[in-house]
Amino acid sequence: MTSRLALLDQMEQEHAGFFQGVKAVLQAKDRENLTGIVGPIASLVSSDKKFETAIETALAGALQHVVVDTERSGRQAIQYLKNHREGRATFLPLDVMRARTIPEALVQKLQTHDGYLGTAKENVQYEQQLEPVIGNLLGAVIIATDLKAGNQLAQMVNYKNRIVTMDGDVINPGVDDWRGREA
Protein backbone atom coordinates (compact mmCIF):
# COMPACT_ATOMS: atom_id res chain seq x y z
CA MET A 1 0.00 0.00 0.00
CA THR A 2 1.75 3.13 -1.19
CA SER A 3 -0.91 5.72 -0.53
CA ARG A 4 -1.65 8.45 1.91
CA LEU A 5 -2.59 5.85 4.54
CA ALA A 6 0.82 4.23 4.08
CA LEU A 7 2.47 7.62 4.26
CA LEU A 8 0.57 8.38 7.47
CA ASP A 9 1.71 5.02 8.84
CA GLN A 10 5.33 5.87 8.05
CA MET A 11 4.83 9.32 9.59
CA GLU A 12 3.44 7.61 12.70
CA GLN A 13 6.67 5.64 13.03
CA GLU A 14 8.50 8.96 13.07
CA HIS A 15 5.63 10.78 14.79
CA ALA A 16 5.81 13.31 11.95
CA GLY A 17 2.80 14.92 10.36
CA PHE A 18 0.58 14.57 13.39
CA PHE A 19 -1.02 17.40 15.29
CA GLN A 20 1.08 18.61 18.20
CA GLY A 21 -0.99 16.88 20.88
CA VAL A 22 -1.06 13.56 19.04
CA LYS A 23 2.68 13.70 18.44
CA ALA A 24 3.34 14.52 22.11
CA VAL A 25 1.26 11.56 23.29
CA LEU A 26 2.98 9.17 20.88
CA GLN A 27 6.40 10.39 21.99
CA ALA A 28 5.42 10.13 25.67
CA LYS A 29 4.25 6.57 25.04
CA ASP A 30 7.74 5.75 23.79
CA ARG A 31 9.81 7.83 26.23
CA GLU A 32 7.83 8.39 29.38
CA ASN A 33 5.87 5.17 29.64
CA LEU A 34 2.47 6.77 29.12
CA THR A 35 0.40 3.60 29.32
CA GLY A 36 -2.67 2.40 27.47
CA ILE A 37 -1.92 4.14 24.18
CA VAL A 38 -2.80 1.80 21.30
CA GLY A 39 -2.07 4.28 18.52
CA PRO A 40 -3.59 6.67 16.01
CA ILE A 41 -6.30 5.42 13.67
CA ALA A 42 -4.03 6.11 10.67
CA SER A 43 -1.65 3.38 11.79
CA LEU A 44 -4.32 0.91 12.91
CA VAL A 45 -6.38 0.48 9.72
CA SER A 46 -5.54 -0.37 6.15
CA SER A 47 -7.56 -0.92 3.00
CA ASP A 48 -7.20 -2.16 -0.53
CA LYS A 49 -5.85 0.55 -2.79
CA LYS A 50 -9.14 0.87 -4.69
CA PHE A 51 -10.98 1.85 -1.46
CA GLU A 52 -8.37 4.24 -0.06
CA THR A 53 -10.02 7.49 -1.17
CA ALA A 54 -13.40 6.40 0.18
CA ILE A 55 -11.92 5.24 3.50
CA GLU A 56 -9.79 8.36 3.93
CA THR A 57 -12.89 10.45 3.23
CA ALA A 58 -14.98 8.44 5.68
CA LEU A 59 -12.38 8.80 8.42
CA ALA A 60 -11.30 12.37 7.62
CA GLY A 61 -9.97 14.00 10.83
CA ALA A 62 -10.44 10.77 12.77
CA LEU A 63 -7.23 9.47 11.16
CA GLN A 64 -5.42 11.39 13.91
CA HIS A 65 -7.66 10.26 16.78
CA VAL A 66 -5.75 8.16 19.29
CA VAL A 67 -7.10 4.79 20.41
CA VAL A 68 -6.52 4.02 24.08
CA ASP A 69 -7.28 0.84 25.98
CA THR A 70 -9.48 2.42 28.65
CA GLU A 71 -11.22 5.65 29.48
CA ARG A 72 -8.76 6.01 32.38
CA SER A 73 -5.81 5.88 29.95
CA GLY A 74 -7.46 8.61 27.90
CA ARG A 75 -7.85 10.81 30.98
CA GLN A 76 -4.19 10.24 31.88
CA ALA A 77 -3.11 11.22 28.38
CA ILE A 78 -5.26 14.35 28.51
CA GLN A 79 -3.74 15.25 31.87
CA TYR A 80 -0.27 14.69 30.41
CA LEU A 81 -1.05 17.09 27.57
CA LYS A 82 -2.39 19.70 29.98
CA ASN A 83 0.55 19.40 32.38
CA HIS A 84 3.09 19.76 29.59
CA ARG A 85 1.07 22.26 27.55
CA GLU A 86 1.47 20.06 24.50
CA GLY A 87 -1.81 20.75 22.74
CA ARG A 88 -4.89 18.61 22.35
CA ALA A 89 -5.85 15.22 20.98
CA THR A 90 -9.00 13.16 20.66
CA PHE A 91 -8.97 9.81 22.43
CA LEU A 92 -11.13 6.79 21.61
CA PRO A 93 -11.26 4.38 24.57
CA LEU A 94 -11.85 0.76 23.62
CA ASP A 95 -13.73 0.02 26.84
CA VAL A 96 -16.53 2.54 26.22
CA MET A 97 -16.84 2.79 22.43
CA ARG A 98 -19.76 0.97 20.83
CA ALA A 99 -19.95 -0.10 17.21
CA ARG A 100 -22.63 1.33 14.93
CA THR A 101 -24.32 -0.98 12.49
CA ILE A 102 -26.88 -0.98 9.72
CA PRO A 103 -29.84 -3.30 10.40
CA GLU A 104 -29.52 -6.59 8.48
CA ALA A 105 -32.85 -6.10 6.66
CA LEU A 106 -31.61 -2.76 5.34
CA VAL A 107 -28.27 -4.27 4.31
CA GLN A 108 -30.12 -6.91 2.30
CA LYS A 109 -32.10 -4.15 0.59
CA LEU A 110 -28.92 -2.18 -0.16
CA GLN A 111 -27.21 -5.27 -1.60
CA THR A 112 -29.78 -5.31 -4.41
CA HIS A 113 -28.32 -2.03 -5.73
CA ASP A 114 -25.34 -2.32 -8.06
CA GLY A 115 -23.79 0.84 -6.62
CA TYR A 116 -23.57 -0.53 -3.06
CA LEU A 117 -20.02 -1.60 -2.15
CA GLY A 118 -20.61 -2.40 1.51
CA THR A 119 -19.90 -0.44 4.63
CA ALA A 120 -16.63 1.35 5.15
CA LYS A 121 -15.92 -1.03 8.04
CA GLU A 122 -16.26 -4.02 5.73
CA ASN A 123 -13.62 -2.54 3.45
CA VAL A 124 -10.82 -2.01 5.97
CA GLN A 125 -8.49 -4.37 7.77
CA TYR A 126 -7.78 -4.00 11.47
CA GLU A 127 -7.01 -6.05 14.56
CA GLN A 128 -10.06 -7.62 16.21
CA GLN A 129 -9.48 -5.75 19.49
CA LEU A 130 -10.26 -2.51 17.62
CA GLU A 131 -13.79 -3.64 16.67
CA PRO A 132 -15.63 -1.18 18.98
CA VAL A 133 -13.73 1.84 17.64
CA ILE A 134 -13.66 0.87 13.96
CA GLY A 135 -17.32 -0.14 14.16
CA ASN A 136 -18.16 3.21 15.72
CA LEU A 137 -16.29 5.22 13.09
CA LEU A 138 -17.11 3.15 9.99
CA GLY A 139 -19.84 0.61 10.76
CA ALA A 140 -22.75 2.70 9.50
CA VAL A 141 -20.92 4.51 6.68
CA ILE A 142 -21.95 3.24 3.25
CA ILE A 143 -19.59 3.13 0.28
CA ALA A 144 -21.11 3.78 -3.14
CA THR A 145 -19.56 3.46 -6.58
CA ASP A 146 -20.35 7.05 -7.56
CA LEU A 147 -22.46 10.07 -6.66
CA LYS A 148 -25.51 8.95 -8.64
CA ALA A 149 -25.53 5.59 -6.85
CA GLY A 150 -24.84 7.35 -3.56
CA ASN A 151 -27.91 9.53 -3.96
CA GLN A 152 -30.03 6.49 -4.78
CA LEU A 153 -28.66 4.61 -1.75
CA ALA A 154 -29.29 7.66 0.46
CA GLN A 155 -32.91 7.56 -0.61
CA MET A 156 -33.08 3.83 0.18
CA VAL A 157 -31.86 4.47 3.76
CA ASN A 158 -34.11 7.52 4.20
CA TYR A 159 -31.04 9.77 4.42
CA LYS A 160 -30.06 8.27 7.80
CA ASN A 161 -26.52 7.16 6.94
CA ARG A 162 -23.40 8.91 5.77
CA ILE A 163 -22.41 7.77 2.29
CA VAL A 164 -19.02 8.17 0.65
CA THR A 165 -18.20 7.45 -2.96
CA MET A 166 -15.10 5.88 -4.42
CA ASP A 167 -14.14 9.38 -5.63
CA GLY A 168 -14.47 10.88 -2.14
CA ASP A 169 -17.84 12.60 -2.49
CA VAL A 170 -19.88 12.68 0.73
CA ILE A 171 -23.63 12.54 1.24
CA ASN A 172 -24.37 13.37 4.85
CA PRO A 173 -27.36 12.07 6.83
CA GLY A 174 -30.46 14.21 6.58
CA VAL A 175 -29.45 15.63 3.22
CA ASP A 176 -31.93 14.73 0.51
CA ASP A 177 -30.28 16.29 -2.51
CA TRP A 178 -26.91 17.10 -4.08
CA ARG A 179 -26.58 20.48 -2.34
CA GLY A 180 -25.54 18.78 0.91
CA ARG A 181 -22.63 16.87 -0.51
CA GLU A 182 -19.01 17.76 -0.01
CA ALA A 183 -16.75 17.49 -3.00
Side-chain angles (χ1 to χ4, degrees):
M1 181 175 88
T2 58
S3 70
R4 286 177 279 183
L5 283 176
L7 177 60
L8 285 172
D9 187 46
Q10 177 187 353
M11 291 165 57
E12 188 270 334
Q13 296 297 324
E14 301 166 0
H15 306 305
F18 285 100
F19 297 142
Q20 180 181 347
V22 176
K23 187 175 184 175
V25 166
L26 297 175
Q27 289 172 340
K29 172 189 173 195
D30 296 340
R31 288 190 315 228
E32 300 181 34
N33 202 24
L34 188 59
T35 61
I37 307 298
V38 178
I41 292 292
S43 69
L44 299 174
V45 299
S46 62
S47 68
D48 291 339
K49 187 163 182 58
K50 69 180 183 177
F51 287 103
E52 287 176 356
T53 299
I55 298 302
E56 289 170 359
T57 301
L59 287 170
L63 283 167
Q64 292 209 23
H65 292 358
V66 179
V67 177
V68 292
D69 60 356
T70 64
E71 192 174 18
R72 181 174 183 233
S73 295
R75 284 193 307 270
Q76 288 174 337
I78 290 168
Q79 194 58 50
Y80 173 85
L81 290 174
K82 286 181 179 179
N83 291 345
H84 293 87
R85 295 186 175 164
E86 290 280 3
R88 297 172 185 254
T90 298
F91 298 94
L92 304 174
L94 287 167
D95 65 337
V96 297
M97 297 291 290
R98 299 292 172 255
R100 296 177 187 168
T101 60
I102 299 173
E104 186 58 35
L106 188 52
V107 170
Q108 290 176 357
K109 182 179 173 183
L110 291 168
Q111 288 172 336
T112 66
H113 194 288
D114 289 339
Y116 176 72
L117 299 176
T119 65
K121 179 184 155 227
E122 294 168 344
N123 289 291
V124 295
Q125 295 80 46
Y126 56 92
E127 290 184 24
Q128 185 59 38
Q129 73 171 11
L130 301 171
E131 176 68 27
V133 169
I134 303 306
N136 183 278
L137 295 173
L138 300 175
V141 177
I142 296 167
I143 298 182
T145 54
D146 55 34
L147 190 56
K148 180 179 178 183
N151 284 324
Q152 292 167 350
L153 293 168
Q155 191 172 25
M156 290 173 73
V157 298
N158 293 320
Y159 306 96
K160 291 183 180 177
N161 294 75
R162 187 167 185 231
I163 299 171
V164 296
T165 69
M166 296 295 281
D167 290 334
D169 293 316
V170 177
I171 302 166
N172 285 307
V175 178
D176 63 358
D177 66 8
W178 63 271
R179 290 176 294 222
R181 75 176 180 93
E182 299 169 7

